[in-house]
Amino acid sequence: MTITVSSQDYNELLKASKGNREASPGLEADEYLDQMPKHLGRGYYRTIEVYPQLWLCIFDKDYHHDMVLKTPINHHPLQFHALALGMYTDTYRQIGRGNRNTFISGGGMQQKIDVFYQHSQRILGIDIEMPPHLLKNFFPGKDGEMLPQLNFLAKESDWQTLLYSPTNPNIQGVVMQIINCPYQGVTRRIYLQGKVIELIALQLAPFLEETTVKQLPSRLKRDTIAKIHHAKEILQASLENPPLLLELAQQVGLSESTLQRGFQMQFGTTVFGYLTNQRMEQAHQLLQNTDFTVAEVANIVGYSHLGHFAAAFKRKFGITPRECCLGKKLVSGL
């Protein structure tokens, strides 16, 4: 038996099963405990605000049935993830101790993703989540801003960067030290602050050591330009359910980096920026010329979250979708 649930519904189930402080005397003022709903499995998510806006989550869980968690396109914080025990598979990769993977999920727009958990196995690990701008507090450059080498982790309204890498004994050691922190109170907070920064540095190290950046030539070949325009046509025909960047690159026979940089050179924007612009133009036309509701228009152009649609629309046109509808009514009433 496989249970499929959206990430939003799963989080609501966790909130409904939240442990109270009377039942969990070990919790401190900066800690929260979400118990696994009993009909899904056993375990918990223990969340600690280590720094302002930086959250450490220690999870230990075991599902009764095979589980699929489905997450729609969404705006994602910067996340560092590492397992101590167990294994699972997401849309892109298998994560777990067997092939010894950790991952970094950059800040920005996250593609639709499904995560598959096999029943009756213990999954123990940690997540660190924060807004990307906090990196400048821990890894500042000479100007006090974020190190330029880390800008790839802060994509804002562009597709996020996903990095999967092998773990090593140093990473595994820090993960276990975080999980088994022996201290309480202020000492615990200081200890966890140091270990969180250490873990982030260890996970980033392989990528910061890669200093060679491949650049496209200043002029693109004629067949490369044709493939980039073909990719644009594919996006225009599939606004509601566009292919992933890797899928789009494979369809037109280019690498992801060539496609991204070629789009920038040809159209002055990224693939995601172009897609968002086309979606907003279509949404504006629908709101102005049809009787569809804002929610219906958002769904037509591929947004499952109404708030994300409204924010993107306002960035593009300076007004909200509802204000756009209101303006149409005012004009028609004259």
Side-chain angles (χ1 to χ4, degrees), residues 63-91:
Y63 293 107
H64 295 323
H65 308 281
D66 290 349
M67 286 283 298
V68 179
L69 296 183
K70 303 181 75 69
T71 301
I73 292 175
N74 68 97
H75 196 274
H76 199 277
L78 174 59
Q79 176 188 15
F80 296 85
H81 176 92
L83 286 185
L85 292 172
M87 186 181 348
Y88 65 88
T89 304
D90 69 19
T91 302

Side-chain angles (χ1 to χ4, degrees), residues 288-303:
Q288 286 286 301
N289 301 310
T290 72
D291 293 324
F292 289 129
T293 66
V294 172
E296 289 170 335
V297 169
N299 188 60
I300 289 171
V301 298
Y303 281 80

Side-chain angles (χ1 to χ4, degrees), residues 26-37:
L27 291 182
E28 300 194 17
D30 57 356
E31 269 187 82
Y32 301 89
L33 186 70
D34 291 327
Q35 299 283 1
M36 176 77 68

Side-chain angles (χ1 to χ4, degrees), residues 27-326:
L27 291 182
E28 300 194 17
D30 57 356
E31 269 187 82
Y32 301 89
L33 186 70
D34 291 327
Q35 299 283 1
M36 176 77 68
K38 292 182 179 179
H39 68 284
L40 293 182
R42 297 168 295 182
Y44 63 85
Y45 295 81
R46 186 179 182 185
T47 308
I48 306 165
E49 190 173 21
V50 176
Y51 290 94
Q53 301 185 72
L54 189 155
W55 295 90
L56 166 68
C57 179
I58 300 171
F59 52 86
D60 189 352
K61 55 189 179 180
D62 179 354
Y63 293 107
H64 295 323
H65 308 281
D66 290 349
M67 286 283 298
V68 179
L69 296 183
K70 303 181 75 69
T71 301
I73 292 175
N74 68 97
H75 196 274
H76 199 277
L78 174 59
Q79 176 188 15
F80 296 85
H81 176 92
L83 286 185
L85 292 172
M87 186 181 348
Y88 65 88
T89 304
D90 69 19
T91 302
Y92 309 105
R93 196 73 60 89
Q94 188 179 65
I95 298 100
R97 197 170 183 181
N99 56 354
R100 305 186 67 75
N101 277 341
T102 65
F103 72 74
I104 301 171
S105 183
M109 295 303 297
Q110 183 186 64
Q111 297 270 13
K112 294 178 183 178
I113 188 168
D114 294 345
V115 183
F116 307 88
Y117 294 97
Q118 196 169 36
H119 73 282
S120 300
Q121 69 160 319
R122 185 184 180 192
I123 300 173
L124 175 66
I126 66 170
D127 279 320
I128 300 164
E129 291 193 2
M130 61 176 145
H133 69 80
L134 279 188
L135 285 175
K136 72 179 182 181
N137 295 345
F138 312 128
F139 308 106
K142 293 181 179 179
D143 59 357
E145 295 300 314
M146 188 193 320
L147 280 173
Q149 299 95 314
L150 299 179
N151 286 337
F152 69 96
L153 295 176
K155 293 295 187 69
E156 297 184 358
S157 60
D158 206 344
W159 294 121
Q160 67 174 175
T161 300
L162 278 175
L163 301 171
Y164 295 84
S165 63
T167 190
N168 57 54
N170 290 332
I171 290 176
Q172 286 290 300
V174 174
V175 169
M176 294 307 299
Q177 288 166 359
I178 289 173
I179 293 173
N180 298 315
C181 174
Y183 304 109
Q184 297 296 324
V186 175
T187 305
R188 184 202 65 154
R189 186 178 181 87
I190 295 172
Y191 178 86
L192 289 178
Q193 287 175 348
K195 289 300 173 184
V196 161
I197 300 306
E198 183 180 358
L199 180 61
I200 291 173
L202 288 171
Q203 287 191 254
L204 285 174
F207 306 102
L208 296 182
E209 290 169 0
E210 296 175 3
T211 56
T212 302
V213 179
K214 294 181 180 179
Q215 297 286 346
L216 278 181
S218 58
R219 297 180 62 181
L220 298 173
K221 295 179 180 179
R222 184 175 300 177
D223 63 332
T224 301
I225 294 174
K227 290 175 180 179
I228 291 168
H229 281 266
H230 183 205
K232 181 190 76 170
E233 293 168 1
I234 292 173
L235 290 179
Q236 289 175 328
S238 55
L239 295 181
E240 182 178 353
N241 188 27
L244 299 176
L245 180 62
L246 175 60
E247 295 171 341
L248 181 62
Q250 290 174 340
Q251 286 184 47
V252 300
L254 295 174
S255 68
E256 290 182 67
S257 59
T258 300
L259 179 62
Q260 279 281 39
R261 298 183 188 190
F263 247 78
Q264 191 73 51
M265 294 172 69
Q266 289 293 301
F267 309 118
T269 185
T270 63
V271 173
F272 181 74
Y274 180 83
L275 174 63
T276 300
N277 184 68
Q278 293 302 303
R279 283 173 158 175
M280 293 304 104
E281 292 290 350
Q282 182 184 18
H284 189 271
Q285 290 295 321
L286 290 171
L287 291 171
Q288 286 286 301
N289 301 310
T290 72
D291 293 324
F292 289 129
T293 66
V294 172
E296 289 170 335
V297 169
N299 188 60
I300 289 171
V301 298
Y303 281 80
S304 58
H305 192 288
L306 195 56
H308 295 158
F309 168 67
F313 191 91
K314 189 169 184 177
R315 280 196 299 271
K316 170 68 176 176
F317 298 108
I319 60 173
T320 67
R322 295 191 185 281
E323 289 170 338
C324 182
C325 289
L326 180 60

